[in-house]
Amino acid sequence: MTDRPAADDMAAKSEGALPEGEAAAAAAPEMVPAAQVTAALEAAAEFKDKLLRTLAEMENLRRRTEREVNDARVYGVAGFARDVLAVADNMHRALGTIEAELREHADGKMKALIEGVELTERELMKVLEKYGVTKFSPAGEKFDPNVHQAMYEVPESDLPPGHVAQVIQAGYMLGDRVLRPALVGVVKAAPKAPPPSANDNPPADSAAE
């Protein structure tokens, strides 16, 4: 008579069972080829490099945008400011034509008119300064072609050559840029001494006699 319980146990064990080699392979982790690992590392490095480059480009774009916005805010009024300077120049010239004697003997209405024009000129300069426009008059300074425009040379002056002796028209700066150069007269450079000629040095024999 067959031992049925023992047979049933063996059948139960055999169901779903794997051969010995396959069972060992299933239990062990799957081995990835070295070439795939290398390719994955290279791809990761490439993606990291692209990411860093993108981040750097975004940072440069942010800085450039901030600089352009700041320049537009500071220098965007350049054209308008130049037009206003023409008005300021005309007011300054008009006030300059009024002699001291006329100011002194002017009646009340004339004095009020002169004071009103002077007040308007001061207010105009305050508004220009509010928007970064500053006036400069370089009298006595060393000539700088970046901010000065020489109109003529002054032959004699107490100043050394190459310095501004006279200011014809004041200059203006907008921020750190030249809005309008100052028109100036510059002290003329001293003439160069002619080089000594051979006749200026007599021969040693002649000098001895």
Side-chain angles (χ1 to χ4, degrees):
M1 185 175 182
T2 306
D3 189 355
R4 189 159 186 88
D8 293 340
D9 291 342
M10 291 181 66
K13 290 180 180 180
S14 63
E15 291 181 359
L18 297 174
E20 182 176 355
E22 294 181 6
E30 184 179 357
M31 300 299 292
V32 179
Q36 294 184 10
V37 175
T38 302
L41 292 175
E42 292 177 352
E46 183 179 356
F47 288 139
K48 181 180 179 181
D49 181 68
K50 290 182 178 180
L51 175 61
L52 294 177
R53 289 177 182 273
T54 302
L55 292 176
E57 291 176 359
M58 293 297 295
E59 179 64 17
N60 292 335
L61 177 61
R62 183 187 66 80
R63 292 179 180 178
R64 184 167 60 252
T65 302
E66 288 182 352
R67 183 170 60 252
E68 290 175 354
V69 170
N70 183 68
D71 288 349
R73 178 180 59 82
V74 175
Y75 305 111
V77 297
F80 175 75
R82 289 191 186 95
D83 294 338
V84 174
L85 291 183
V87 178
D89 291 338
N90 290 333
M91 295 180 65
H92 184 73
R93 282 192 287 265
L95 291 172
T97 59
I98 302 175
E99 299 177 356
E101 184 178 356
L102 177 60
R103 289 174 179 266
E104 183 178 355
H105 296 91
D107 57 17
K109 292 182 178 180
M110 179 60 69
K111 287 184 178 180
L113 176 61
I114 295 173
E115 292 174 356
V117 175
E118 290 176 340
L119 177 61
T120 303
E121 183 187 26
R122 289 195 297 269
E123 289 297 322
L124 179 60
M125 297 309 301
K126 288 181 180 180
V127 172
L128 289 173
E129 290 177 359
K130 178 181 178 181
Y131 289 95
V133 179
T134 55
K135 182 179 181 180
F136 68 93
S137 183
E141 299 179 4
K142 185 174 178 59
F143 177 74
D144 184 354
N146 296 314
V147 293
H148 307 151
Q149 182 176 344
M151 303 302 293
Y152 55 83
E153 289 184 325
V154 178
E156 296 181 1
S157 174
D158 296 334
L159 297 170
H163 283 64
V164 176
Q166 299 173 358
V167 178
I168 306 168
Q169 188 178 72
Y172 288 87
M173 300 289 293
L174 177 57
D176 57 354
R177 298 182 184 179
V178 179
L179 181 63
R180 190 183 73 185
L183 306 183
V184 299
V186 184
V187 181
K188 187 177 181 179
K192 296 182 179 179
S197 62
N199 297 330
D200 295 336
N201 298 320
D205 296 341
S206 300
E209 294 177 359

